[in-house]
Amino acid sequence: MSGYTSDQTTLNKTTGVAAILRAGRSRVTSIQGRGEAGSVLLLHDSATTGGAAAGNLKATYKFETEGLEVYIPGSGILFENGVCATLSQTSGTDGSVTMTITGA
C-alpha cells in the first residue's frame, strides 16, 4: 500500500458565535466536549452563519462540568449544506468541542 487517504477528519469549535466548521455535505460521527458549566452546543445544517435557524437545527447538546462524549451510531448526523456550530457556556470560561466527521 503506497498511500492512504481518508474521508474522515476532525473539526474544533471554541466558545462563541455561530461558525461554519465545514462547508458542503458531511456527517458528524462523534463529539467530545470539555466540561464547563452551562455548556450548550447547537448544530445547524447551513452553508452560512446567517442561515442558521430553527428549521435547520440538527442537534442540541446541553452538558455541564462532566463534559460530553457522544458516538453517533450508523452513518452519523447528515449535514447536506454544511456544519454550522454555536457553543456557549454560563461559566465564563472558554470551552471547546471536537467533532469527527466523514465526507471531508
Side-chain angles (χ1 to χ4, degrees), residues 72-88:
I72 300 149
S75 298
I77 303 170
L78 175 62
F79 292 81
E80 291 280 352
N81 303 298
V83 180
C84 180
T86 304
L87 177 63
S88 60

PDB file of all heavy atoms in Angstrom, residues 72-88:
ATOM      1  N   ILE A  72     -22.074   8.749  17.522  1.00  0.00           N
ATOM      2  CA  ILE A  72     -23.352   8.682  16.833  1.00  0.00           C
ATOM      3  C   ILE A  72     -23.412   7.394  16.015  1.00  0.00           C
ATOM      4  O   ILE A  72     -22.561   7.166  15.163  1.00  0.00           O
ATOM      5  CB  ILE A  72     -23.549   9.933  15.961  1.00  0.00           C
ATOM      6  CG1 ILE A  72     -23.518  11.160  16.888  1.00  0.00           C
ATOM      7  CG2 ILE A  72     -24.850   9.873  15.194  1.00  0.00           C
ATOM      8  CD1 ILE A  72     -22.993  12.393  16.296  1.00  0.00           C
ATOM      9  N   PRO A  73     -24.400   6.557  16.284  1.00  0.00           N
ATOM     10  CA  PRO A  73     -24.464   5.262  15.608  1.00  0.00           C
ATOM     11  C   PRO A  73     -24.812   5.389  14.125  1.00  0.00           C
ATOM     12  O   PRO A  73     -25.242   6.448  13.655  1.00  0.00           O
ATOM     13  CB  PRO A  73     -25.586   4.536  16.370  1.00  0.00           C
ATOM     14  CG  PRO A  73     -26.431   5.620  16.928  1.00  0.00           C
ATOM     15  CD  PRO A  73     -25.507   6.767  17.204  1.00  0.00           C
ATOM     16  N   GLY A  74     -24.641   4.291  13.426  1.00  0.00           N
ATOM     17  CA  GLY A  74     -24.955   4.274  11.995  1.00  0.00           C
ATOM     18  C   GLY A  74     -23.985   5.141  11.222  1.00  0.00           C
ATOM     19  O   GLY A  74     -22.780   5.091  11.431  1.00  0.00           O
ATOM     20  N   SER A  75     -24.520   5.961  10.354  1.00  0.00           N
ATOM     21  CA  SER A  75     -23.683   6.806   9.499  1.00  0.00           C
ATOM     22  C   SER A  75     -23.477   8.202  10.058  1.00  0.00           C
ATOM     23  O   SER A  75     -22.916   9.062   9.395  1.00  0.00           O
ATOM     24  CB  SER A  75     -24.313   6.915   8.108  1.00  0.00           C
ATOM     25  OG  SER A  75     -24.387   5.647   7.504  1.00  0.00           O
ATOM     26  N   GLY A  76     -23.972   8.487  11.257  1.00  0.00           N
ATOM     27  CA  GLY A  76     -23.819   9.803  11.853  1.00  0.00           C
ATOM     28  C   GLY A  76     -24.954  10.742  11.473  1.00  0.00           C
ATOM     29  O   GLY A  76     -25.951  10.337  10.887  1.00  0.00           O
ATOM     30  N   ILE A  77     -24.790  12.023  11.812  1.00  0.00           N
ATOM     31  CA  ILE A  77     -25.798  13.044  11.504  1.00  0.00           C
ATOM     32  C   ILE A  77     -25.415  13.686  10.170  1.00  0.00           C
ATOM     33  O   ILE A  77     -24.330  14.248  10.030  1.00  0.00           O
ATOM     34  CB  ILE A  77     -25.847  14.130  12.593  1.00  0.00           C
ATOM     35  CG1 ILE A  77     -26.125  13.514  13.959  1.00  0.00           C
ATOM     36  CG2 ILE A  77     -26.901  15.175  12.253  1.00  0.00           C
ATOM     37  CD1 ILE A  77     -25.947  14.485  15.117  1.00  0.00           C
ATOM     38  N   LEU A  78     -26.319  13.606   9.195  1.00  0.00           N
ATOM     39  CA  LEU A  78     -26.054  14.142   7.862  1.00  0.00           C
ATOM     40  C   LEU A  78     -26.302  15.645   7.818  1.00  0.00           C
ATOM     41  O   LEU A  78     -27.355  16.131   8.227  1.00  0.00           O
ATOM     42  CB  LEU A  78     -26.940  13.450   6.827  1.00  0.00           C
ATOM     43  CG  LEU A  78     -26.858  13.995   5.406  1.00  0.00           C
ATOM     44  CD1 LEU A  78     -25.445  13.829   4.832  1.00  0.00           C
ATOM     45  CD2 LEU A  78     -27.880  13.312   4.525  1.00  0.00           C
ATOM     46  N   PHE A  79     -25.330  16.372   7.283  1.00  0.00           N
ATOM     47  CA  PHE A  79     -25.429  17.801   7.013  1.00  0.00           C
ATOM     48  C   PHE A  79     -25.253  17.970   5.505  1.00  0.00           C
ATOM     49  O   PHE A  79     -24.167  17.724   4.978  1.00  0.00           O
ATOM     50  CB  PHE A  79     -24.354  18.585   7.780  1.00  0.00           C
ATOM     51  CG  PHE A  79     -24.563  18.577   9.261  1.00  0.00           C
ATOM     52  CD1 PHE A  79     -24.163  17.491  10.025  1.00  0.00           C
ATOM     53  CD2 PHE A  79     -25.167  19.644   9.898  1.00  0.00           C
ATOM     54  CE1 PHE A  79     -24.364  17.469  11.391  1.00  0.00           C
ATOM     55  CE2 PHE A  79     -25.380  19.630  11.266  1.00  0.00           C
ATOM     56  CZ  PHE A  79     -24.979  18.544  12.012  1.00  0.00           C
ATOM     57  N   GLU A  80     -26.318  18.342   4.822  1.00  0.00           N
ATOM     58  CA  GLU A  80     -26.289  18.486   3.358  1.00  0.00           C
ATOM     59  C   GLU A  80     -25.537  19.738   2.909  1.00  0.00           C
ATOM     60  O   GLU A  80     -24.817  19.715   1.924  1.00  0.00           O
ATOM     61  CB  GLU A  80     -27.714  18.549   2.804  1.00  0.00           C
ATOM     62  CG  GLU A  80     -28.479  17.262   2.909  1.00  0.00           C
ATOM     63  CD  GLU A  80     -28.133  16.261   1.823  1.00  0.00           C
ATOM     64  OE1 GLU A  80     -27.400  16.603   0.878  1.00  0.00           O
ATOM     65  OE2 GLU A  80     -28.605  15.126   1.933  1.00  0.00           O
ATOM     66  N   ASN A  81     -25.716  20.851   3.635  1.00  0.00           N
ATOM     67  CA  ASN A  81     -25.191  22.146   3.200  1.00  0.00           C
ATOM     68  C   ASN A  81     -23.898  22.565   3.884  1.00  0.00           C
ATOM     69  O   ASN A  81     -23.100  23.286   3.318  1.00  0.00           O
ATOM     70  CB  ASN A  81     -26.249  23.219   3.430  1.00  0.00           C
ATOM     71  CG  ASN A  81     -27.533  22.888   2.706  1.00  0.00           C
ATOM     72  OD1 ASN A  81     -27.538  22.807   1.494  1.00  0.00           O
ATOM     73  ND2 ASN A  81     -28.599  22.661   3.445  1.00  0.00           N
ATOM     74  N   GLY A  82     -23.717  22.142   5.115  1.00  0.00           N
ATOM     75  CA  GLY A  82     -22.535  22.497   5.884  1.00  0.00           C
ATOM     76  C   GLY A  82     -22.823  22.366   7.368  1.00  0.00           C
ATOM     77  O   GLY A  82     -23.984  22.331   7.788  1.00  0.00           O
ATOM     78  N   VAL A  83     -21.773  22.290   8.157  1.00  0.00           N
ATOM     79  CA  VAL A  83     -21.897  22.179   9.611  1.00  0.00           C
ATOM     80  C   VAL A  83     -21.678  23.566  10.206  1.00  0.00           C
ATOM     81  O   VAL A  83     -20.578  24.116  10.143  1.00  0.00           O
ATOM     82  CB  VAL A  83     -20.877  21.183  10.204  1.00  0.00           C
ATOM     83  CG1 VAL A  83     -21.031  21.103  11.706  1.00  0.00           C
ATOM     84  CG2 VAL A  83     -21.019  19.814   9.561  1.00  0.00           C
ATOM     85  N   CYS A  84     -22.740  24.132  10.762  1.00  0.00           N
ATOM     86  CA  CYS A  84     -22.681  25.431  11.422  1.00  0.00           C
ATOM     87  C   CYS A  84     -22.880  25.187  12.916  1.00  0.00           C
ATOM     88  O   CYS A  84     -23.878  24.590  13.316  1.00  0.00           O
ATOM     89  CB  CYS A  84     -23.762  26.347  10.866  1.00  0.00           C
ATOM     90  SG  CYS A  84     -23.780  27.986  11.628  1.00  0.00           S
ATOM     91  N   ALA A  85     -21.937  25.612  13.733  1.00  0.00           N
ATOM     92  CA  ALA A  85     -21.990  25.315  15.165  1.00  0.00           C
ATOM     93  C   ALA A  85     -21.909  26.577  16.006  1.00  0.00           C
ATOM     94  O   ALA A  85     -21.220  27.537  15.657  1.00  0.00           O
ATOM     95  CB  ALA A  85     -20.838  24.389  15.540  1.00  0.00           C
ATOM     96  N   THR A  86     -22.629  26.533  17.140  1.00  0.00           N
ATOM     97  CA  THR A  86     -22.546  27.572  18.161  1.00  0.00           C
ATOM     98  C   THR A  86     -22.306  26.872  19.486  1.00  0.00           C
ATOM     99  O   THR A  86     -22.996  25.905  19.805  1.00  0.00           O
ATOM    100  CB  THR A  86     -23.855  28.381  18.256  1.00  0.00           C
ATOM    101  OG1 THR A  86     -24.158  28.924  16.985  1.00  0.00           O
ATOM    102  CG2 THR A  86     -23.727  29.504  19.273  1.00  0.00           C
ATOM    103  N   LEU A  87     -21.342  27.332  20.255  1.00  0.00           N
ATOM    104  CA  LEU A  87     -21.047  26.781  21.576  1.00  0.00           C
ATOM    105  C   LEU A  87     -21.095  27.920  22.586  1.00  0.00           C
ATOM    106  O   LEU A  87     -20.430  28.940  22.411  1.00  0.00           O
ATOM    107  CB  LEU A  87     -19.671  26.111  21.600  1.00  0.00           C
ATOM    108  CG  LEU A  87     -19.220  25.549  22.940  1.00  0.00           C
ATOM    109  CD1 LEU A  87     -20.136  24.422  23.409  1.00  0.00           C
ATOM    110  CD2 LEU A  87     -17.780  25.052  22.846  1.00  0.00           C
ATOM    111  N   SER A  88     -21.903  27.728  23.629  1.00  0.00           N
ATOM    112  CA  SER A  88     -21.990  28.753  24.674  1.00  0.00           C
ATOM    113  C   SER A  88     -21.861  28.087  26.041  1.00  0.00           C
ATOM    114  O   SER A  88     -22.115  26.900  26.192  1.00  0.00           O
ATOM    115  CB  SER A  88     -23.312  29.517  24.568  1.00  0.00           C
ATOM    116  OG  SER A  88     -24.401  28.635  24.712  1.00  0.00           O
TER     117      SER A  88
END
